Amino acid sequence: MPKQSQTHEDAKLRPRGFLLLLRFFGDCLAELFKGGWRYWAWLSGLFVLIGWGGWFYLRQLDQGLVVTHMSNQVSWGFYISNFTFLVGVAAAAVMLVIPAYIFYRKDIRDVVLLGDTMAVTAVLMAMLFVIVDIGRPDRIWHMIPLIGRFNFPVSLLAWDVIVLSGYLVLNLGISFYLLFSHYQGRQAKLKMYLPFIIFAIFWAISIHTVTAFLFSANAGRHFWHNALLAPRFIASAFASGPAMMAIGLQIIRAISDYPIRQSVINHLALVATIALQVTLFFLLAELFTEFYNEGEHAASARYLFLGLDGHTGLTPWIWTAIVLLLIAVVMLMIHPLRHKPLTMNIAFVLIIIGVWIEKGMGLVVPAFIPTPIGEIYEYSPSLTEIMVSVGIWAIGLLIFTLLAKAALPVQCEFLRRQREREREQSGWDGFERRHNVE
């Protein structure tokens, strides 16, 4: 049978509409049950951590937040620290989207779907951290419009709910359209989703900006109440997010056949380097402002960086973060080290740990110390907080693993067919050139 006729017959036999959608979900679901012993061992380990964290969370639900080390003096702690960090990771996916669709980098466009997957995972994890931070999560219905009182646009919490939920919907919708189009063996129509891509780029910046405003709007917390907080959030997000994506992409490249070019990793390394330089400059500018003419409002900064009245609970945290970030930026600024996989990945790990400390324990907790009446209540996370957080991180890794496991076969097959078409087109163009010369 001629190839064109066979293709036409295959198209007639292919399911359409709702049946095709069911088949797509069925094939994706079936892919989750395929894998070697390493895949199942990985999933088993994640389920163990999730179960362990879930047990501690049930204990927290039963006894209340008294099992944490939070109090009336320090009402935000380890949970909100992780939330703040993860919102930045979610926003950083834009560092793949912009070069892929604005500057037409095909090598990055091939992997942008994985960046969206990481963004979806990070947003879901951030939402989970907010839920566990609520003493009575069953009362969240009070925020549902019409049923409860959403307090929009007065409440910044309402704005945060909107930007996070909207960003989640945008990334899910765009990713689904691209993947479903590739499942059908066709290129997604750019004009159908490019407006949503542009919208998502600005929305990505908004999610971390609104989160920063959520902190800086607290005039009574002088450590947060400064105009530099939002730029600091964005800069640090564009350092830690690309570092996490680069490590994730390298792992996927090592364990699968997905074609991830080194140029993508190099791009992320360069972005992380520049963003980290800006982050450290912002930190230096803030330190100068706080300590050059030190007043009463600098008490929180003094407690964090130097200790206050003999209390130094967070001082080792912040100086560890600064040292890690300085080592990372020096390593990445040296061109040979930035292109050597070992040193590059060491720098990525240092960035992730350093930013997690600086934006988490080094930002959230110090604003509560000292209290408005001068009381110093030192905070450190309890075992319950640590284990619940480990459980949520395990949930995030599980979500990313399953989403990537379902998407990779579709993407690999689509890219393989695309390369074959490009080679055929290249061969035909070469034949035409030779024929014209003759």
Side-chain angles (χ1 to χ4, degrees):
M1 180 182 294
K3 184 176 181 180
Q4 183 176 0
S5 176
Q6 185 177 1
T7 304
H8 180 68
E9 290 297 325
D10 291 342
K12 288 173 62 179
L13 294 174
R14 189 181 300 128
R16 295 178 180 274
F18 184 68
L19 290 178
L20 181 60
L21 188 63
L22 287 178
R23 180 178 172 183
F24 166 72
F25 283 117
D27 288 348
C28 289
L29 185 63
E31 193 63 36
L32 303 183
F33 295 93
K34 301 176 183 177
W37 69 268
R38 291 182 180 86
Y39 170 70
W40 291 108
W42 169 249
L43 292 187
S44 299
L46 292 179
F47 278 118
V48 169
L49 293 177
I50 293 170
W52 201 359
W55 185 84
F56 276 92
Y57 181 57
L58 289 176
R59 179 171 171 265
Q60 177 181 304
L61 281 178
D62 179 56
Q63 300 182 26
L65 291 174
V66 69
V67 298
T68 72
H69 285 172
M70 291 183 285
S71 63
N72 290 335
Q73 290 86 354
V74 180
S75 53
W76 285 354
F78 203 60
Y79 296 149
I80 299 301
S81 298
N82 280 281
F83 161 79
T84 308
F85 175 78
L86 286 166
V87 172
V89 172
V94 76
M95 288 294 101
L96 287 178
V97 175
I98 290 176
Y101 293 102
I102 305 301
F103 298 105
Y104 304 103
R105 284 279 301 270
K106 186 181 181 304
D107 55 338
I108 297 179
R109 186 178 293 192
D110 290 344
V111 301
V112 74
L113 198 61
L114 294 174
D116 290 340
T117 302
M118 182 171 289
V120 168
T121 303
V123 171
L124 290 173
M125 291 170 65
M127 291 178 171
L128 286 176
F129 273 111
V130 173
I131 291 174
V132 298
D133 188 68
I134 300 173
R136 287 288 302 275
D138 55 296
R139 292 180 178 175
I140 203 168
W141 66 267
H142 285 285
M143 292 187 65
I144 301 176
L146 302 179
I147 301 176
R149 182 177 295 177
F150 194 49
N151 286 325
F152 179 83
V154 178
S155 172
L156 277 172
L157 284 173
W159 280 94
D160 211 30
V161 170
I162 288 174
V163 294
L164 285 176
S165 302
Y167 191 62
L168 177 63
V169 171
L170 276 172
N171 278 280
L172 283 173
I174 294 170
S175 300
F176 171 76
Y177 175 70
L178 291 173
L179 194 63
F180 189 53
S181 298
H182 295 170
Y183 177 78
Q184 299 174 73
R186 61 180 177 83
Q187 183 72 48
K189 296 179 181 178
L190 187 61
K191 64 180 181 180
M192 293 291 292
Y193 67 94
L194 184 59
F196 295 99
I197 291 286
I198 303 299
F199 191 48
I201 290 173
F202 290 99
W203 201 289
I205 305 299
S206 76
I207 66 170
H208 219 25
T209 303
V210 171
T211 303
F213 288 168
L214 191 64
F215 287 90
S216 63
N218 290 273
R221 305 293 178 184
H222 304 291
F223 188 70
W224 295 336
H225 191 56
N226 66 82
L228 197 59
L229 194 62
R232 271 186 64 191
F233 270 35
I234 298 297
S236 60
F238 290 168
S240 58
M244 290 191 72
M245 285 189 286
I247 291 175
L249 291 176
Q250 290 178 85
I251 293 173
I252 290 173
R253 183 172 63 182
I255 64 176
S256 71
D257 297 327
Y258 197 79
I260 299 173
R261 302 180 189 178
Q262 187 60 34
S263 58
V264 178
I265 309 300
N266 294 339
H267 162 77
L268 292 172
L270 183 60
V271 170
T273 305
I274 297 171
L276 184 54
Q277 292 170 343
V278 176
T279 298
L280 291 171
F281 172 74
F282 284 165
L283 181 61
L284 177 63
E286 192 162 343
L287 287 174
F288 174 82
T289 305
E290 292 282 7
F291 290 112
Y292 185 73
N293 284 314
E294 186 177 353
E296 294 181 2
H297 292 171
S300 294
R302 171 165 284 277
Y303 167 73
L304 175 64
F305 289 98
L306 303 173
L308 187 64
D309 295 338
H311 299 278
T312 58
L314 290 181
T315 304
W317 288 78
I318 193 63
W319 285 110
T320 299
I322 291 174
V323 169
L324 293 179
L325 294 178
L326 286 173
I327 294 173
V329 77
V330 170
M331 293 175 68
L332 292 176
M333 286 171 61
I334 300 174
H335 190 77
L337 296 181
R338 193 173 71 245
H339 286 80
K340 187 177 180 181
L342 177 61
T343 51
M344 178 183 64
N345 285 306
I346 290 174
F348 286 157
V349 172
L350 296 181
I351 290 174
I352 293 168
I353 298 173
V355 171
W356 180 83
I357 296 174
E358 185 268 334
K359 189 183 282 185
M361 295 294 290
L363 176 86
V364 175
V365 178
F368 294 98
I369 305 169
T371 66
I373 61 173
E375 182 183 5
I376 297 177
Y377 178 89
E378 294 207 280
Y379 166 87
S380 61
S382 68
L383 179 62
T384 297
E385 291 172 89
I386 293 173
M387 292 314 305
V388 171
S389 299
V390 168
I392 293 177
W393 276 94
I395 291 174
L397 289 171
L398 177 66
I399 292 172
F400 182 79
T401 299
L402 297 180
L403 290 177
K405 186 72 167 60
L408 285 179
V410 177
Q411 283 293 97
C412 286
E413 179 64 19
F414 174 76
L415 293 176
R416 184 187 63 80
R417 292 178 179 177
Q418 191 177 54
R419 287 195 300 270
E420 288 179 354
R421 288 194 296 267
E422 289 173 354
R423 282 196 294 267
E424 290 176 1
Q425 183 63 36
S426 177
W428 176 253
D429 290 344
F431 172 77
E432 281 190 329
R433 284 195 295 268
R434 290 193 300 271
H435 179 73
N436 292 332
V437 169
E438 293 173 357

